[in-house]
Amino acid sequence: DQQVKQNSPSLSVQEGRISILNCDYTNSMFDYFLWYKKYPAEGPTFLISISSIKDKNEDGRFTVFLNKSAKHLSLHIVPSQPGDSAVYFCAASARDDKIIFGKGTRLHILP
Amino acid sequence: DGGITQSPKYLFRKEGQNVTLSCEQNLNHDAMYWYRQDPGQGLRLIYYSQIVNDFQKGDIAEGYSVSREKKESFPLTVTSAQKNPTAFYLCASTNTGGTGELFFGEGSRLTVL
């Protein structure tokens, strides 16, 4: 049973426009959410995170929004750049517990 | 430089053989994790360890074994009991009680011939 769901396997966005990647979760005990970016044959790298006590966290072009009542979070990238083309994983954790990943969304930035 | 080192990067194995993947970190992290990545499956947790000499099964532990004799090291053995071992394996570490931000190694690709 998937606790972290990324329902869009892929997404294509024009360069310069906004990319929005979505993630849903089922476990109400999760209190920390993270986004990772992954290129082929490499390990994922941390992008941005948000604690359950917040509803928004911003870092440069990346913003994560958390809607606890809907158990939904999203990652906004604006403006999208060619180097943003990668697979993005949503992850969630409860304090001192294992970290669960979604299946990922492949983002294609179109020229 | 601090980081996580996985070796080997590529490994080929015949059916019926056990193989051990190495993971070493010098970040002084308490917790270490092994994930497996398959196309369309995302990252699935195999085993994790939050402290030396202790580890827990993840979601797909069958056919795998681990040890955590030292804080810096968390080797993963893929046994002959693992039905479909060909995959990309990722090791990660973090501090327990922290934010959950994982630091990943570069991965090891195992191919069973």
Side-chain angles (χ1 to χ4, degrees):
Chain A
D1 184 30
Q2 269 190 283
Q3 296 187 62
V4 179
K5 300 177 184 179
Q6 293 178 258
N7 292 320
S8 297
S10 67
L11 175 68
S12 295
V13 174
Q14 207 75 34
E15 182 179 354
R17 306 294 290 268
I18 183 171
S19 296
I20 300 176
L21 297 101
N22 293 303
C23 178
D24 298 292
Y25 62 96
T26 58
N27 189 343
S28 57
M29 297 301 293
F30 287 146
D31 61 359
Y32 210 80
F33 305 89
L34 309 97
W35 284 95
Y36 286 82
K37 176 180 179 180
K38 187 182 182 300
Y39 294 117
E42 294 183 8
T45 54
F46 170 75
L47 260 182
I48 192 169
S49 61
I50 188 166
S51 163
S52 59
I53 63 173
K54 294 186 176 182
D55 55 17
K56 177 183 175 181
N57 188 28
E58 189 172 354
D59 184 2
R61 296 186 297 115
F62 303 93
T63 303
V64 56
F65 296 91
L66 176 63
N67 182 335
K68 283 188 66 178
S69 61
K71 293 191 175 68
H72 177 83
L73 63 154
S74 61
L75 173 68
H76 293 212
I77 306 173
V78 56
S80 299
Q81 298 175 354
D84 296 331
S85 293
V87 176
Y88 289 80
F89 290 100
C90 172
S93 71
R95 186 159 292 276
D96 291 339
D97 204 351
K98 58 188 178 180
I99 299 166
I100 304 297
F101 284 79
K103 290 188 175 183
T105 297
R106 183 175 299 277
L107 177 64
H108 300 271
I109 304 302
L110 306 171
Chain B
D1 283 353
I4 299 182
T5 302
Q6 287 186 240
S7 63
K9 191 166 177 67
Y10 299 96
L11 185 61
F12 297 87
R13 172 196 110 175
K14 292 182 180 179
E15 278 192 27
Q17 289 180 334
N18 291 356
V19 62
T20 297
L21 306 179
S22 169
C23 179
E24 303 279 330
Q25 55 99 0
N26 60 4
L27 300 166
N28 200 33
H29 284 166
D30 300 308
M32 297 186 74
Y33 299 76
W34 275 105
Y35 290 89
R36 167 180 171 146
Q37 185 186 16
D38 297 282
Q41 292 290 333
L43 302 178
R44 293 185 290 168
L45 183 63
I46 304 172
Y47 268 98
Y48 64 110
S49 167
Q50 294 183 312
I51 195 169
V52 174
N53 292 323
D54 189 37
F55 48 83
Q56 290 78 39
K57 292 182 179 180
D59 300 316
I60 54 166
E62 185 175 351
Y64 298 98
S65 66
V66 293
S67 63
R68 188 84 187 277
E69 297 176 3
K70 298 186 299 181
K71 187 175 185 178
E72 304 79 21
S73 179
F74 192 41
L76 173 74
T77 296
V78 185
T79 76
S80 56
Q82 167 50 232
K83 301 296 183 204
N84 188 18
T86 295
F88 189 57
Y89 291 87
L90 286 159
C91 180
S93 70
T94 188
N95 276 323
T96 54
T99 60
E101 179 185 337
L102 289 171
F103 292 79
F104 282 88
E106 289 294 301
S108 294
R109 179 164 296 282
L110 171 63
T111 302
V112 174
L113 305 172

